[in-house]
Amino acid sequence: MEALLLLVGDSQFTTGLVTRIQHHSDVQIITAETQDETEDIFKDYSPSVLVLQADYPLTQELCLYLKQTRDLAWIYCLVIELRDPINSTNWEKQAMGATKALKMGADVYLTLSPQARPSDEQLLQAQLAAALRHAKLYQTLTRTNNLLSAIALSDALTQINNRRAFDWELPRQIRAAQEKNFALSLMVIDIDHFKIINDTYGHLIGDKALKILAERLQYNMRDYDTPYRYGGEEFVVVLNHTSPEEAKAISQRMRQTVSDHPLVINDTVEINLTVSIGVASLTPEDDSKGMSLLNRADQGLLAAKSAGRNQVRFESGL
């Protein structure tokens, strides 16, 4: 796949550079002359390499912006000064320009002749190859990191998110709800008498029951609701944009769905299952990590079990 290379500079600079590197088969080239054009490109595309005109007004600002923006800091930034070395006398000024660009975040500063010369073209092509290797390595590391993150945040048995993912995500969801002023609720679900299932059928059947229940949770939740396996036979579900009344109704529907439809384990085993559910909704008094919200939902779960199981209990915290 071609890497995207963004050239930023005046029309003479970008036209000249396009001519010099367009035959490079591994890159697709786009150009920009203004700040608005550059910002639009960053919104719509993901350039792997940024080539900037050394004496262009946007150059230093763009270098600094890239290196200070987490999602863009990986982009390889190449600053090019077009200068005829035969007629150049102010090498000190050139060195100061290169030093400033590198301090601002450029990865490489090149001085090339305005006219294509074999040595310059070899240097430019070698530098482009190095930039593309950098981009390819970043992409490979990103894919690997995403895979490892997915493994670390996924429950090995049920394939839904695990407690680590929940502990990371709940504060983020609470922050979003508080900033955007939308309702947020939480369900804690526990399988009733799960030990009897393990004791009667064995742990392999018990594991199958957990997997089927997790699938049922995913299937019956809205797209923006996220289930997690919290541990053992306990699950939690973050209900976005969900008021207390809506959370109660969703919880009752889930409880009834589980109790009305036995889990078909195999051709010979069918298990009638019930769950107890505790529910709580976010209040202004809740802490940012969600500990108080989770504690209220957990208290609701305890109340549901004390009331005879196969129940839903809402804890308001009042």
Side-chain angles (χ1 to χ4, degrees), residues 34-280:
T34 68
Q35 182 171 346
D36 288 342
E37 288 177 348
T38 305
E39 290 177 354
D40 288 341
I41 289 171
F42 277 120
K43 289 177 184 177
D44 299 332
Y45 302 95
S46 297
S48 300
V49 182
L50 182 62
V51 178
L52 304 173
Q53 181 179 349
D55 56 354
Y56 204 59
L58 285 177
T59 293
Q60 293 184 10
E61 181 181 340
L62 275 174
C63 284
L64 189 60
Y65 173 69
L66 284 182
K67 299 312 173 184
Q68 290 182 344
T69 304
R70 182 177 179 180
D71 293 339
L72 303 176
W74 67 274
I75 297 176
Y76 199 88
C77 185
L78 173 60
V79 177
I80 294 180
E81 178 181 4
L82 297 179
R83 178 190 294 267
D84 190 340
I86 297 177
N87 300 322
S88 178
T89 56
N90 196 344
W91 295 107
E92 184 177 351
K93 182 179 179 180
Q94 177 186 342
M96 289 178 61
T99 301
K100 191 169 186 178
L102 293 169
K103 284 185 176 180
M104 295 293 282
D107 293 290
V108 171
Y109 190 100
L110 287 182
T111 301
L112 302 175
S113 172
Q115 293 77 35
R117 301 185 309 171
S119 59
D120 279 359
E121 300 316 295
Q122 291 175 8
L123 178 61
L124 179 58
Q125 295 304 319
Q127 187 55 60
L128 282 176
L132 294 175
R133 285 196 301 271
H134 171 90
K136 185 176 181 180
L137 176 61
Y138 172 82
Q139 292 164 354
T140 300
L141 290 174
T142 298
R143 285 193 296 268
T144 302
N145 186 60
N146 289 340
L147 175 61
L148 292 174
S149 296
I151 293 172
L153 298 176
S154 176
D155 178 60
L157 175 64
T158 63
Q159 300 303 305
I160 64 173
N161 293 319
N162 61 16
R163 179 171 178 172
R164 179 182 295 177
F166 173 75
D167 290 341
W168 178 83
E169 181 67 13
L170 183 60
R172 194 182 72 85
Q173 294 288 359
I174 289 175
R175 198 160 50 244
Q178 292 171 336
E179 291 174 356
K180 299 177 182 178
N181 195 31
F182 62 76
L184 181 78
S185 297
L186 187 68
M187 289 196 308
V188 180
I189 304 169
D190 190 83
I191 300 175
D192 297 327
H193 302 297
F194 185 71
K195 185 176 184 299
I196 295 177
I197 296 175
N198 280 332
D199 291 345
T200 303
Y201 300 101
H203 288 279
L204 291 179
I205 298 297
D207 286 350
K208 185 69 178 294
L210 289 171
K211 291 174 67 175
I212 295 174
L213 180 60
E215 291 170 0
R216 190 169 293 181
L217 283 176
Q218 288 182 299
Y219 182 79
N220 287 281
M221 290 289 105
R222 300 166 299 182
D223 290 341
Y224 48 87
D225 296 331
T226 310
Y228 303 82
R229 186 183 180 198
Y230 195 68
E233 63 271 23
E234 193 168 273
F235 298 83
V236 291
V237 182
V238 179
L239 302 171
N240 282 295
H241 300 277
T242 306
S243 67
E245 291 72 23
E246 292 170 326
K248 293 174 191 175
I250 292 171
S251 300
Q252 285 288 5
R253 187 174 69 245
M254 178 57 65
R255 181 201 61 76
Q256 188 167 355
T257 296
V258 174
S259 63
D260 289 354
H261 300 87
L263 302 186
V264 179
I265 303 298
N266 53 43
D267 294 339
T268 59
V269 178
E270 188 176 284
I271 299 175
N272 291 302
L273 204 67
T274 64
V275 294
S276 298
I277 303 177
V279 192

Side-chain angles (χ1 to χ4, degrees), residues 268-311:
T268 59
V269 178
E270 188 176 284
I271 299 175
N272 291 302
L273 204 67
T274 64
V275 294
S276 298
I277 303 177
V279 192
S281 293
L282 187 67
T283 68
E285 292 75 27
D286 283 318
D287 64 276
S288 60
K289 292 185 178 180
M291 298 305 295
S292 55
L293 174 63
L294 178 60
N295 182 64
R296 287 203 311 280
D298 199 47
Q299 290 302 311
L301 174 64
L302 293 175
K305 286 189 172 295
S306 297
R309 294 181 169 83
N310 194 21
Q311 307 270 336

